[in-house]
Amino acid sequence: MTTASGQSGRAPETSARGVAALCWSAVALEGYDLVVLGVVLPKLLRDPSWQLTPATASVISSVGLVGVMIGALCVGPLTDRFGRRKLMITTVALFSALTLACAFADGPLLFGILRFLAGLGLGGVLPVAIAMVNEASEAKGGSATTTLMTGYHVGAVATALLGILVIPALTWRAMFVIGALPALVLLPLLARHLPESLPATAEEKAARSPVATLFQGGYLRSSLAFWVTSFMGLLLVYGLNTWLPEIMRAAGYELGAALALLLTLNVGAVLGLLLAGRVSDRIGVRTCILIWFTAAAVFLALLSVRLPGFGVYVSVLLAGVFVFSTQVLVYAYVSHHYPAVGRATALGASSGVGRLGAICGPLVGGALLSAGLAYPWGFYAFAAVAVIGLVSVTFVSNRQPA
């Protein structure tokens, strides 16, 4: 099939919309798969044949995230070397097959191994998808990336809703079967309709390897800055999602209110994705990131003030608007900053290093809770993380390196 039009190497406009829809679907499946463990864990912990403990469950969750991190770090160079289309198909096929295998695991050991292996594929989906939609899109801001990431939240919400309906009727194993089945439709569509992007000329590939692109030609400072920024961005996302209810309970709120505030935070996340994309298209993604990190720090610090009634919901909603979409804007910035020959590699590295922050976020919140400092110092700590992210992104070169 025709893969590009004109000299730009981009797909025509109709193909751009098709690429966006297919990549959105893949990211939605990723969102489902990354959240499904949390949905089925309550059943697994009460299954006497598995003898699963909270500590063992935490290990399974952690090894899955390690797999995602490794997958993100490895897929970028492979994508830039062999092409976006092949790697997108491979990663979706890999995590879908291993997700299906999880339905037949007979104990925690095999289940944990399968979750790690599935994570390798899951970690690779996002860098490839972001690279593809940005190459197909004419927009220089972040709307292509932020729109793509709404797929993740749709997948996550679908997991929670299906869990309520499916697990009582068909057991937890059915959740993994359901998570794998869409690949039977999506994979043929990817193979038939995804264009094979041409990320670099033969001369560019000969001149530098994808990994070398991160460190040569003036990109070293930017690469380090993006990694620190992504670490902080994902630390915020995972730290708040894990511990916000408990921190709010430490502040004196009832459990029901604390859970409602977590829902409010994630509603703010979706609104923030839609808003951030439009704003970044108008003022530029770098400027938008600086504003977003600043606002995130301010509203996180304000959460330390106990507000009456509806005020706390507004404050949490605004925190969600800026905290969650900031990291997505960082991905958009990475995608526009690097040349095509190293774009997926840069995205994979940023996502992979950021996953370390995702692992550390819950640890930071847990340590503060254990020390009795969760309120108000937990919010001050998260606000400080946002400030570090703000400072680190200013070290990204403001001009396109040579």
Side-chain angles (χ1 to χ4, degrees):
M1 62 181 290
T2 301
T3 60
S5 66
Q7 295 179 349
S8 65
R10 295 179 183 272
E13 186 176 353
T14 53
S15 290
R17 290 196 294 267
V19 167
L22 290 170
C23 290
W24 187 94
S25 300
V27 170
L29 289 185
E30 180 200 18
Y32 180 101
D33 214 302
L34 286 173
V35 175
V36 70
L37 178 61
V39 173
V40 304
L41 267 182
K43 282 291 184 182
L44 290 177
L45 288 168
R46 290 162 179 79
D47 187 335
S49 66
W50 277 46
Q51 298 184 338
L52 192 66
T53 66
T56 306
S58 296
V59 171
I60 292 173
S61 178
S62 296
V63 298
L65 287 175
V66 170
V68 171
M69 179 185 68
I70 294 173
L73 290 171
C74 293
V75 77
L78 294 173
T79 300
D80 285 324
R81 181 64 64 184
F82 298 109
R84 319 292 196 230
R85 178 176 174 273
K86 292 178 182 177
L87 267 296
M88 175 62 82
I89 294 170
T90 300
T91 54
V92 172
L94 177 64
F95 80 72
S96 296
L98 289 161
T99 295
L100 179 62
C102 286
F104 304 98
D106 58 359
L109 178 59
L110 178 58
F111 188 73
I113 292 172
L114 291 172
R115 289 299 295 171
F116 170 79
L117 295 174
L120 298 177
L122 289 166
V125 170
L126 190 58
V128 181
I130 293 175
M132 293 197 81
V133 298
N134 279 284
E135 286 171 359
S137 172
E138 296 296 332
K140 295 300 183 184
S143 60
T145 305
T146 55
T147 301
L148 174 72
M149 285 302 295
T150 62
Y152 177 92
H153 291 279
V154 169
V157 170
T159 312
L161 294 176
L162 283 170
I164 295 172
L165 299 173
V166 170
I167 293 176
L170 301 174
T171 78
W172 63 267
R173 296 181 186 274
M175 291 296 294
F176 291 96
V177 176
I178 292 172
L181 286 179
L184 296 176
V185 176
L186 183 58
L187 284 172
L189 291 175
L190 293 175
R192 180 177 178 82
H193 297 292
L194 270 189
E196 180 57 271
S197 58
L198 303 175
T201 65
E203 292 79 7
E204 287 175 320
K205 288 185 177 181
R208 62 174 79 170
S209 71
V211 176
T213 302
L214 304 182
F215 307 104
Q216 297 176 356
Y219 285 100
L220 175 59
R221 190 182 78 177
S222 292
S223 295
L224 295 174
F226 278 130
W227 297 348
V228 173
T229 304
S230 294
F231 181 95
M232 299 302 165
L234 286 178
L235 189 155
L236 286 176
V237 169
Y238 281 78
L240 283 171
N241 254 339
T242 302
W243 292 117
L244 181 69
E246 284 301 315
I247 294 176
M248 299 311 287
R249 291 193 71 187
Y253 294 93
E254 297 294 330
L255 175 60
L259 293 176
L261 288 171
L262 180 61
L263 175 61
T264 302
L265 184 77
N266 281 278
V267 170
V270 176
L271 295 176
L273 286 172
L274 299 174
L275 178 63
R278 304 306 182 268
V279 173
S280 65
D281 282 350
R282 289 183 173 272
I283 67 175
V285 68
R286 178 188 177 93
T287 303
C288 191
I289 290 173
L290 297 176
I291 294 172
W292 249 241
F293 262 126
T294 301
V298 169
F299 286 113
L300 284 169
L302 285 176
L303 288 178
S304 65
V305 179
R306 185 176 170 84
L307 298 172
F310 191 66
V312 67
Y313 288 93
V314 174
S315 185
V316 169
L317 180 74
L318 291 172
V321 165
F322 293 103
V323 167
F324 286 77
S325 51
T326 301
Q327 180 55 35
V328 180
L329 288 171
V330 172
Y331 290 144
Y333 194 10
V334 172
S335 182
H336 293 306
H337 188 73
Y338 289 86
V341 69
R343 184 171 292 125
T345 300
L347 285 165
S350 181
S351 176
V353 174
R355 295 293 174 178
L356 292 174
I359 294 170
C360 291
L363 297 178
V364 170
L368 290 168
L369 279 164
S370 298
L373 300 173
Y375 183 84
W377 292 101
F379 291 123
Y380 296 146
F382 285 128
V385 169
V387 171
I388 296 172
L390 168 66
V391 172
S392 63
V393 82
T394 63
F395 285 91
V396 176
S397 175
N398 202 21
R399 62 180 180 83
Q400 195 70 18

